[in-house]
Each structure stands twice: as structure tokens, then as C-alpha cells.
């Protein structure tokens, strides 16, 4: 009997050893970036040991990396159920929830990890990220500060702390945090961008310019830097933002665009919708409508009732991908605005463009193209940011990278384009840096 037990024990030990060797092999593939091969290997292990916590956990991490977050949650949750004190699994489960936008669940996972390991630096930092997403800025700031207290050379935490301090209105402390992040990680472009933007927002143009030029030494061909340098007065006057700048900024912004603008009280689409209703009356779904610079499609609910065919165009593919999820457009197309309008003469009854022409300084070409793209008696409705009437030549590139325009300049350009002005209103487009952004809402009609 004892001999039989010893043989079984030896077999079990050998099997356990083989499983551990298999796990090490899978983890080695994972560490080398062979994610799919590692996932396949973890699955083989789980066929022999379905409740192997490490294999479940790491397979969950791999599934997350492969773009299968729901499967990742299932795997990592099972690992945590088997081993409730599995600290790294709690943290990684939080990471998956964070990417899914399930921020309360992510917070719970990070707090579970910290209950088990109070000095877990990365969990403090990750908790800060989700608290920021939940707009609990002071709590987020405290989490980042805790991570820094535990690891003073943690550059990412300094960077995130700078963003939170800025949101809390503590500008000088934010600038110190950004600069410390750059000292610790001098080749991190986003730290230069955020530091420069914070300086620009506080009207410290010369300091912002110096930061942008430092950033340019790291990324000399980045169109965003070129545009921001111009905004600070560092180069010759630009007459419009480059295509590269617009694509880069809005591709990066597309995932958070709707959430961020909602937090800023963004009203441009609603204002445009109200004015269209006044101009056109009861919607009858009979017009050819262009949402010019459609972004994520925030104007679509206001335009769809008027449209026999609703077309959205934008320069950013990231924005178009988000707009497609609304399933409100009959067609979406990636294009540059002026060129697209010029290629579609007399094609539209209504063209709407909210917060798109703010990336044009000179309006002559784009308004002439819009006039040509309208059918007789067709309408153009658009917003701009309001500038001073005495600014010359009628527009100005602001430190934040957008153009403002004087009302008199816009009126002149519309009239020169053969468009009859039907309405002009001053509106508050949104709040930015705790200040209202004053805009101009125009409606014009093609002269038949």
C-alpha cells in the first residue's frame, strides 16, 4: 500500500513539474512578444489543469493584449476566485476593466490589490487613472502622490500628477510635476506636450514655445509641434492647420472626444440644430445633407430628420470610426474639407460644419467651395470661435492651436463667396480652463 502511495505521489510530482515547466515556456514566449503562441500554450496547460491560477491569469493578460477583453475578464476573474490573495491578478483585472470603460469595477480591483499589498506602486498609479476618469480629481491626485512617495523616480506618476494638479487649478504645482517627469524620462513626447499646453493655457507663450522646441528635438517631423510653435509666434503666420496636425490630434482624441466635450458643456451641435429648425421648419427627410467635419457624429441627431441622404466627412479616420457606430449616416468619407467641397458642385441642400472651420485662418477658399457645393437656395450653417473685431487680417491663431475670427471678416468672406447671411449669433460653445469659449454661429444661403 505504501509503495502504491509513493508511486502516485511521484506521478503527481512529475505532472506538477511538467506543468510548471510548461508554464515557464509559455511565459517565456509571452515575454518575447509572441502573444498568440503564448495564449495557445496556456490553453494547452489548462486542458490538463483547468484550475491552474497562473495559467488562467496569464491567458487573461494575453487575451487582453490580443483584443479580447471579455475573455480576459473571464479568465482573470477565475484566477482571483481560486486565489483571492492573488495581487497581480487583481491589478491586471483592473487594467482590463479600465480599458473596457468599467471604471467602478476597475477601482474595486485596484483597491483589492492595495488591500493585499499597500505599497504596490503601480496599483496606486492605476487607481489614480480610473479616479481621474471618474472625475474624482483630488482623489486621483492623492493616488499619484502616494505612488511618487513610494517611488520618487516614477516618471509616469509625476506626469499624471501634473495633469491632475492642472485640472484642480494648481498650475504652478502642475508645472513642477511636468518638469520632474521630463527630467526622469526626457524622451517622453506627451510630457512636453502637456507642459507646453499648460503654459499656453496660462498665456505664457514664450515659455510654451521653449518647451515645444525642446519637444521638436525629439520628434522633428511631428506636425502637431510645428502648429503649436506657430501658435506661440515662433514661425511665420500659418493660414490654416495642416492636414497632418488635424489627423494626429483627432485620431488620438477620438476615443475620449464625446466624454471630454460633455464635461465641457459642449453646445455647438445643439445651437446648429436649433438654428436649422428655425430656417427650415418642419423636417421632411428630403434634403441632401453634408455634415462637414462630422467628428464622432454629434450633429447627426439634429440633421437626420431633414435628410434624404446624410453624408459625413472628416479628415480623421478615428473620428469616422466612432461616427459609424452611431449608425445615423448613409455614407461616411475621409477627406480634406476644401477639396471635398470643390469636388462636389451643387450636391447639397444643407451643409453644416460645427467647430471645424476653427482650424482655418483664411476662410475665402473653403467658403467659396461651400457655396459652389450648395444647390440653389441651399443653406450653410457653421460655428467659429469669436475674435476681436480689430484683429488683422480678421483671424488669429490662438495659443491653444485654434483660430478665432472677427465677425466682420466672416461677413465679408460670406458675401464675397456669393452667400446671403441669414442669421448671426454669439453663443457659448463650451467651457475651457474654467472660462467660457465664445463662438459665432452663422447661417447663410446660396444666392439662387
Amino acid at each position: 500500500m505504501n509503495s502504491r502511495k509513493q508511486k502516485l505521489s511521484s506521478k503527481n510530482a512529475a505532472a506538477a513539474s511538467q506543468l510548471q515547466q510548461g508554464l515557464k515556456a509559455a511565459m517565456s514566449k509571452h515575454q518575447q512578444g509572441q502573444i498568440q503562441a503564448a495564449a495557445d500554450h496556456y490553453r494547452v496547460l489548462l486542458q490538463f489543469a483547468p484550475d491552474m491560477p497562473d495559467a488562467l491569469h496569464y491567458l487573461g493578460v494575453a487575451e487582453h493584449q490580443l483584443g479580447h477583453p471579455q475573455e480576459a475578464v473571464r479568465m482573470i476573474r477565475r484566477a482571483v476566485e481560486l486565489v483571492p490573495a492573488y495581487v497581480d491578478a487583481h491589478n491586471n483585472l483592473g487594467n482590463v476593466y479600465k480599458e473596457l470603460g468599467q471604471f467602478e469595477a476597475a477601482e474595486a480591483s485596484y483597491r483589492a490589490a492595495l488591500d493585499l499589498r499597500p505599497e504596490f506602486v503601480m496599483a496606486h498609479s492605476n487607481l489614480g487613472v480610473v479616479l481621474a476618469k471618474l472625475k474624482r480629481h483630488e482623489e486621483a491626485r492623492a493616488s499619484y502622490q502616494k505612488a511618487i512617495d513610494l517611488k520618487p523616480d516614477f516618471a509616469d506618476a509625476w506626469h499624471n500628477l501634473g495633469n491632475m494638479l492642472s485640472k484642480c487649478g494648481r498650475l504652478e504645482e502642475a508645472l513642477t510635476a511636468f518638469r520632474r517627469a521630463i527630467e526622469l524620462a526626457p524622451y517622453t513626447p506627451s510630457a512636453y506636450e502637456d507642459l507646453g499646453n499648460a503654459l499656453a493655457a496660462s498665456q505664457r507663450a514664450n515659455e510654451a514655445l521653449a518647451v515645444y522646441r525642446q519637444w521638436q528635438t525629439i520628434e522633428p517631423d511631428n506636425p502637431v509641434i510645428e502648429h503649436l510653435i506657430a501658435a506661440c509666434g515662433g514661425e511665420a503666420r500659418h493660414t490654416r492647420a495642416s492636414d497632418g496636425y488635424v489627423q494626429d490630434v483627432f485620431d488620438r482624441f477620438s476615443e475620449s472626444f464625446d466624454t471630454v466635450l460633455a464635461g465641457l458643456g459642449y453646445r455647438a451641435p445643439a445651437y446648429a440644430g436649433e438654428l436649422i429648425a428655425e430656417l427650415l421648419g418642419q423636417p421632411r427627410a428630403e434634403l441632401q445633407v453634408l455634415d462637414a467635419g462630422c467628428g464622432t457624429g454629434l450633429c447627426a441627431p439634429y440633421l437626420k430628420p431633414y435628410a434624404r441622404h446624410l453624408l459625413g466627412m472628416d479628415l480623421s479616420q478615428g473620428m469616422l470610426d466612432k461616427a459609424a457606430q452611431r449608425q445615423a449616416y448613409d455614407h461616411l468619407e475621409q477627406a480634406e474639407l476644401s477639396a471635398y467641397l470643390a469636388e462636389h458642385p451643387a450636391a447639397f441642400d444643407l451643409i453644416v460644419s460645427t467647430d471645424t472651420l476653427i482650424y482655418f485662418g483664411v476662410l475665402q477658399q473653403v467658403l467659396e467651395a461651400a457655396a459652389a457645393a450648395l444647390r440653389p437656395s441651399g443653406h450653410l450653417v457653421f460655428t467659429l470661435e469669436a475674435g476681436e473685431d480689430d484683429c488683422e487680417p480678421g483671424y488669429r491663431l490662438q495659443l491653444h492651436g485654434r483660430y478665432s475670427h472677427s465677425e466682420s471678416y466672416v461677413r465679408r468672406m460670406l458675401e464675397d463667396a456669393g452667400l446671403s447671411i441669414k442669421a448671426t449669433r454669439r453663443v457659448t460653445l463650451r467651457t475651457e480652463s474654467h472660462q467660457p469659449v465664445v463662438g459665432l454661429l452663422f447661417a447663410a444661403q446660396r444666392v439662387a
Side-chain angles (χ1 to χ4, degrees):
M1 182 68 73
N2 287 338
S3 175
R4 218 177 265 171
K5 284 183 179 179
Q6 286 173 352
K7 286 180 181 178
L8 284 172
S9 178
S10 296
K11 284 182 180 179
N12 289 339
S17 176
Q18 287 179 336
L19 286 171
Q20 287 303 313
Q21 290 174 7
L23 181 65
K24 286 181 181 178
M27 291 173 64
S28 177
K29 290 178 181 177
H30 205 158
Q31 290 162 357
Q32 293 169 24
Q34 301 176 43
I35 310 300
Q36 186 62 64
D40 293 341
H41 204 139
Y42 294 133
R43 287 193 191 90
V44 171
L45 291 172
L46 290 169
Q47 288 177 0
F48 292 97
D51 290 336
M52 188 177 186
D54 286 338
L56 287 163
H57 173 210
Y58 294 127
L59 176 56
V61 173
E63 292 287 11
H64 184 209
Q65 292 170 317
L66 291 168
H68 309 139
Q70 298 296 345
E71 184 66 9
V73 166
R74 190 174 73 84
M75 292 294 169
I76 302 175
R77 283 183 62 177
R78 179 60 183 150
V80 167
E81 288 167 3
L82 291 166
V83 183
Y86 200 158
V87 178
D88 289 337
H90 282 292
N91 184 61
N92 283 325
L93 181 58
N95 291 341
V96 181
Y97 280 134
K98 179 179 66 178
E99 293 302 316
L100 284 168
Q102 298 178 26
F103 301 127
E104 290 85 357
E107 178 188 358
S109 293
Y110 293 137
R111 291 197 185 280
L114 289 168
D115 286 344
L116 293 163
R117 190 189 301 167
E119 297 189 352
F120 192 174
V121 174
M122 189 56 69
H124 281 292
S125 182
N126 289 337
L127 177 59
V129 172
V130 299
L131 290 171
K133 295 289 188 183
L134 292 167
K135 300 188 185 306
R136 290 154 58 184
H137 295 149
E138 281 294 347
E139 291 178 75
R141 183 202 58 74
S143 289
Y144 295 136
Q145 187 63 61
K146 181 64 176 178
I148 289 167
D149 291 343
L150 292 167
K151 191 177 189 310
D153 62 349
F154 190 1
D156 283 351
W158 279 107
H159 185 178
N160 287 331
L161 177 62
N163 283 322
M164 283 305 96
L165 288 166
S166 182
K167 285 184 171 65
C168 295
R170 296 161 63 173
L171 179 64
E172 291 303 323
E173 293 173 83
L175 298 178
T176 297
F178 287 136
R179 290 183 176 119
R180 181 61 178 145
I182 288 170
E183 287 174 10
L184 292 167
Y187 297 101
T188 306
S190 58
Y192 291 94
E193 183 173 17
D194 288 338
L195 173 58
N197 290 350
L199 288 164
S202 59
Q203 302 301 307
R204 292 157 68 168
N206 290 336
E207 292 175 73
L209 178 59
V211 171
Y212 293 142
R213 282 186 165 146
Q214 282 183 286
W215 177 17
Q216 195 172 42
T217 64
I218 301 170
E219 295 187 305
D221 299 322
N222 188 327
V224 173
I225 308 172
E226 180 186 352
H227 185 77
L228 294 174
I229 285 175
C232 291
E235 300 293 345
R237 184 190 300 273
H238 285 201
T239 60
R240 58 155 291 180
S242 70
D243 290 356
Y245 170 79
V246 173
Q247 286 177 301
D248 186 291
V249 167
F250 286 97
D251 281 347
R252 286 189 289 146
F253 194 18
S254 58
E255 285 299 321
S256 60
F257 185 81
D258 291 4
T259 302
V260 170
L261 288 187
L264 298 177
Y266 183 56
R267 291 276 296 154
Y271 288 135
E274 290 167 8
L275 185 52
I276 291 165
E278 292 177 24
L279 291 168
L280 302 182
Q282 187 68 25
R284 293 190 292 273
E286 61 185 15
L287 305 179
Q288 286 289 118
V289 181
L290 173 64
D291 190 353
C294 63
T296 60
L298 293 176
C299 283
Y302 302 99
L303 304 182
K304 188 66 173 175
Y306 293 91
R308 177 168 55 85
H309 187 273
L310 177 59
L311 188 145
M313 57 79 46
D314 203 282
L315 195 53
S316 164
Q317 187 59 51
M319 288 290 193
L320 291 170
D321 290 343
K322 297 297 287 187
Q325 294 175 17
R326 294 182 187 274
Q327 299 183 333
Y329 293 92
D330 297 294
H331 182 65
L332 289 163
E333 190 161 342
Q334 184 181 23
E336 189 279 319
L337 178 55
S338 297
Y340 183 85
L341 293 170
E343 291 166 2
H344 294 79
F348 303 105
D349 301 295
L350 174 64
I351 298 174
V352 177
S353 186
T354 57
D355 278 7
T356 297
L357 299 185
I358 56 176
Y359 295 100
F360 291 76
V362 174
L363 296 178
Q364 179 180 2
Q365 181 184 5
V366 68
L367 291 180
E368 287 177 351
L374 285 171
R375 292 171 174 169
S377 301
H379 287 86
L380 170 66
V381 176
F382 62 96
T383 63
L384 294 163
E385 294 188 13
E388 299 298 326
D389 269 334
D390 60 355
C391 75
E392 291 295 337
Y395 59 88
R396 182 169 296 156
L397 179 56
Q398 302 291 340
L399 288 177
H400 48 52
R402 303 184 302 271
Y403 288 90
S404 61
H405 296 81
S406 71
E407 184 175 338
S408 58
Y409 171 77
V410 182
R411 285 179 171 276
R412 188 167 68 252
M413 292 298 101
L414 286 168
E415 290 165 0
D416 289 349
L419 292 163
S420 173
I421 298 169
K422 293 300 179 183
T424 305
R425 294 175 184 170
R426 294 181 76 86
V427 295
T428 298
L429 297 171
R430 64 186 173 281
T431 301
E432 194 169 280
S433 300
H434 310 291
Q435 296 295 322
V437 176
V438 179
L440 299 170
L441 174 64
F442 274 91
Q445 187 174 28
R446 177 175 170 175
V447 178

